[in-house]
Amino acid sequence: MRFDKGTIGSVLETVSKEYSDRTAIIFEDVSVSYKEIHRKSNIVACNLWNQGIRKDDKVAVLLPNCLEYFYIYYALFIIGAWIVPINTRYEKDEIKRIFKDGDVGTIIYKNKIGVFNYDSILSDINAELPMLKKFISTKAIDNKKRILLVDLFKENCDMKGFMDYLIKNPVEPDNVAILGYTSGTTGIPKGVMILHENLVKTSIHEGVIMDLGKDVGFSIAPMYAAQGFNAILIYMTSGITMKWISTFNPTDIITHIVKKRVNALHTQPTMWSLLLSLPYFQYVFFKNLDKVIVSGSLCSPNLAKRIEKSTGCKLVNIYGLIESTGVVTSTHLDDPVDVRINTVGRPIDGVQIKIVDNNRKEVPKGEVGELAVKGYLMKGYYKNKEKTDEVIDDNGWLYTGDLASYYKDGENICIVGRLKDMIIRGGFNVYPIDIEECLLGFGKVLDIAVVAKEDEILGESIVAYVIPKPGEEIEKTEILKYCRGKISNYKVPDEVVFVSQFPILDSGKVQKNILQQWTKSQVPEEYRV
């Protein structure tokens, strides 16, 4: 399929013509064709335009996974407005910070999601957000003027006027499509300006790598997360059917995979840790599933091996970050098994990489250094040139903060960890992944995360937070004994703390900054074993 113009709206138009009656989305048990997605997205776009939404306006979307989310995404892409996806777990201050930094003028939201009452939250912060003028909600609110989400689907909009507007104000490939905020594991989240053409190109390349033909792709990710909207675009540019659900219950996920003839499963490492811990998982037969795509956070070799063995599928292991439009490297289906298991593959077409030392000079192959990336980069951090210049140099190289090395084949890449996560214990560099990978081989351990703790003598000591497998009891001495002889003595943890779960982001990343805070205080009650 050929896309002549690199905007997401034009891609949807092309796919809707090429695969008019093909099912585009199966959400829960509702199926929608590409033709219908295109038609309804234009209706929603027209109604948003009638409400005053224009190109380059910043529109926050605060919804759980739902079919309406698709139409809103595409509608805003068609208009050329900037989508600001909001995590449905954010607290009031986090939302206020993003709205203020992102100059959000419109919010499309569900009034209540779980324990969060967004009517109340938005009412509390509205006075501090003078730019926030338009509210589009799922339900009406007494004594307050609101646009209802259902009104965006009315078909009596001024489509001719809207089309005339688009002709005079065309969306271009180098325009911003999404203003996505970093996860904020350290410091204040920054707004990443992601371009239309970069989203389109990375999606096309990854679809080819995944060999998506007539597959049914199933993504287990919130649609507000980078992994979620990347999956949407990868599936769309490939013209396949995409399956989504509203909940993230492991049992429901397995049921949908087995009963809905899913061929390609797009998920996070953290979700696999949950799935593999289910007592009945070993008895599940994945008849149609033939490829598993893992992204969002680092998938350890131990976990990758378990995924392939338990599903009988080939693993596509993706590495990326939001500043590089979500995809940098990927393993391939025809890679040798050791490459699929032990690496994150090689750069996708259009991306260059290098591994550098602290002075940003390339290190010899085989040595560990910081990974730098060129190609499909963000336009920059919104209103933050200083931070942009810190990570992107004058030659267009983005310095990721991730430690990497070349695999033994000299072509594929291994991610060792985050530069900020490296522990310097008694003058020795310790990469937490070495310890984590070792202990994941211990039969009583479900998951592990290793962080540094300030130490007067060593500089930094090593703390291992361990989640035991259900029903297992582990002693600290067992952990230490298992490590000895498998990893260097200076890598053996100084402390072992048993917990019931980790604080994690929706991307699947463990919030190690919070674990480090725990090294100075007590583990909260809800995380204790």
Side-chain angles (χ1 to χ4, degrees):
M1 202 164 21
R2 179 175 175 177
F3 303 112
D4 293 324
K5 186 178 180 184
T7 65
I8 299 167
S10 67
V11 169
L12 176 59
E13 184 175 1
T14 299
V15 176
S16 70
K17 291 176 181 176
E18 186 80 16
Y19 302 117
S20 178
D21 295 320
R22 177 177 292 181
T23 299
I25 297 169
I26 303 173
F27 187 83
E28 301 291 3
D29 293 317
V30 178
S31 298
V32 185
S33 69
Y34 273 104
K35 177 174 64 178
E36 187 66 0
I37 288 284
H38 182 248
R39 189 183 74 84
K40 283 193 174 179
S41 296
N42 274 285
I43 289 170
V44 173
C46 181
N47 280 303
L48 286 169
W49 175 77
N50 284 340
Q51 294 294 340
I53 307 299
R54 297 293 184 264
K55 183 181 178 182
D56 295 328
D57 284 353
K58 285 76 176 177
V59 180
V61 182
L62 208 173
L63 294 169
N65 277 14
C66 57
L67 194 54
E68 290 80 6
Y69 213 137
F70 287 92
Y71 299 122
I72 290 166
Y73 254 136
Y74 293 139
L76 292 170
F77 288 142
I78 290 168
I79 294 172
W82 297 18
I83 301 168
V84 186
I86 303 295
N87 190 320
T88 57
R89 297 183 184 181
Y90 276 170
E91 299 284 353
K92 178 171 68 175
D93 287 346
E94 294 171 301
I95 294 172
K96 181 175 70 175
R97 187 184 302 124
I98 289 173
F99 279 29
K100 189 172 184 178
D101 183 80
D103 297 322
V104 171
T106 300
I107 171 70
I108 302 174
Y109 73 104
K110 185 174 182 178
N111 304 65
K112 292 182 180 180
I113 302 175
V115 298
F116 293 97
N117 183 327
Y118 288 111
D119 289 329
S120 176
I121 288 173
L122 292 171
S123 178
D124 287 347
I125 65 177
N126 195 194
E128 301 175 63
L129 302 168
M131 289 197 66
L132 184 59
K133 303 291 186 184
K134 296 185 177 67
F135 298 81
I136 302 173
S137 60
T138 51
K139 291 183 180 179
I141 308 172
D142 293 341
N143 302 320
K144 290 191 177 182
K145 186 178 180 181
R146 290 286 188 271
I147 304 161
L148 292 180
L149 186 60
V150 68
D151 291 339
L152 299 182
F153 292 84
K154 291 182 177 179
E155 302 198 14
N156 59 343
C157 60
D158 179 14
M159 189 60 73
K160 183 181 183 305
F162 176 53
M163 290 299 152
D164 288 343
Y165 171 81
L166 292 183
I167 292 170
K168 295 175 183 176
N169 301 271
V171 181
E172 301 294 347
D174 62 352
N175 290 163
V176 174
I178 296 174
L179 181 60
Y181 275 78
T182 57
S183 53
T185 54
T186 57
I188 297 173
K190 299 176 286 292
V192 179
M193 296 181 284
I194 308 172
L195 306 181
H196 275 261
E197 64 180 338
N198 287 352
L199 284 164
V200 171
K201 288 178 179 178
T202 54
S203 299
I204 292 170
H205 292 318
E206 196 55 44
V208 171
I209 290 170
M210 294 178 189
D211 191 26
L212 298 175
K214 294 184 179 179
D215 292 317
V216 174
F218 184 16
S219 177
I220 304 167
M223 292 171 68
Y224 56 74
Q227 187 194 36
F229 62 70
N230 276 344
I232 289 172
L233 297 176
I234 290 169
Y235 294 157
M236 183 179 73
T237 54
S238 301
I240 71 166
T241 298
M242 43 186 136
K243 169 74 182 160
W244 292 76
I245 57 176
S246 57
T247 61
F248 306 102
N249 181 288
T251 300
D252 291 342
I253 290 167
I254 291 174
T255 300
H256 280 276
I257 295 169
V258 173
K259 291 188 175 181
K260 302 298 181 180
R261 295 180 288 115
V262 170
N263 309 100
L265 178 62
H266 206 132
T267 185
Q268 308 156 335
T270 308
M271 181 57 74
W272 275 105
S273 297
L274 294 173
L275 292 173
L276 291 168
S277 68
L278 295 172
Y280 58 83
F281 188 84
Q282 60 183 311
Y283 304 111
V284 178
F285 177 50
F286 297 102
K287 180 180 179 182
N288 297 291
L289 191 66
D290 59 20
K291 64 199 75 165
V292 173
I293 301 98
V294 178
S295 65
S297 63
L298 185 60
C299 182
S300 72
N302 185 285
L303 181 58
K305 188 184 299 181
R306 292 177 66 198
I307 291 171
E308 286 212 350
K309 182 179 179 180
S310 62
T311 62
C313 299
K314 290 185 176 181
L315 181 74
V316 177
N317 201 353
I318 297 174
Y319 162 78
L321 59 163
I322 189 171
E323 287 91 342
S324 63
T325 317
V327 182
V328 172
T329 66
S330 177
T331 58
H332 294 233
L333 293 167
D334 59 357
D335 282 337
V337 63
D338 66 305
V339 170
R340 297 198 307 270
I341 296 298
N342 294 299
T343 82
V344 292
R346 50 199 178 273
I348 65 171
D349 287 349
V351 170
Q352 301 174 55
I353 62 171
K354 63 180 179 179
I355 298 174
V356 301
D357 60 20
N358 291 337
N359 296 315
R360 295 185 172 178
K361 302 295 184 183
E362 284 196 68
V363 301
K365 281 198 173 183
E367 291 190 11
V368 173
E370 182 180 7
L371 183 65
V373 178
K374 182 185 281 191
Y376 309 131
L377 301 187
M378 63 176 176
K379 185 176 181 179
Y381 292 124
Y382 184 59
K383 298 191 307 186
N384 200 334
K385 187 177 185 303
E386 181 182 354
K387 289 293 183 184
T388 302
D389 292 342
E390 284 181 15
V391 298
I392 301 179
D393 68 16
D394 293 340
N395 295 314
W397 285 98
L398 167 71
Y399 295 87
T400 65
D402 288 318
L403 291 168
S405 66
Y406 279 98
Y407 189 50
K408 59 187 179 183
D409 60 10
E411 181 181 8
N412 292 284
I413 298 294
C414 301
I415 301 297
V416 175
R418 291 289 290 169
L419 186 60
K420 63 181 177 58
D421 290 339
M422 187 179 73
I423 302 167
I424 304 177
R425 183 187 186 276
F428 290 97
N429 291 349
V430 178
Y431 304 111
I433 192 171
D434 291 341
I435 307 167
E436 293 163 354
E437 182 64 17
C438 171
L439 281 170
L440 283 171
F442 184 27
K444 292 184 178 182
V445 171
L446 177 62
D447 210 349
I448 177 170
V450 172
V451 298
K453 179 181 179 180
E454 291 181 9
D455 188 282
E456 290 184 5
I457 298 172
L458 296 170
E460 290 180 322
S461 61
I462 302 168
V463 181
Y465 288 92
V466 177
I467 302 176
K469 282 186 177 177
E472 295 285 2
E473 292 186 8
I474 320 177
E475 298 291 334
K476 175 184 175 180
T477 54
E478 293 181 81
I479 296 291
L480 303 182
K481 183 179 178 180
Y482 185 83
C483 288
R484 292 191 180 105
K486 295 183 176 68
I487 54 177
S488 302
N489 60 358
Y490 63 84
K491 296 180 182 179
V492 176
D494 298 290
E495 295 181 42
V496 178
V497 181
F498 296 104
V499 294
S500 60
Q501 58 183 315
F502 296 138
I504 58 174
L505 299 165
D506 291 297
S507 64
K509 295 176 183 176
V510 176
Q511 292 178 287
K512 288 194 171 183
N513 59 320
I514 292 179
L515 295 182
Q516 285 183 316
Q517 291 171 15
W518 292 355
T519 67
K520 302 175 184 178
S521 58
Q522 289 188 335
V523 175
E525 182 68 35
E526 63 267 31
Y527 290 93
R528 296 178 191 172
V529 174

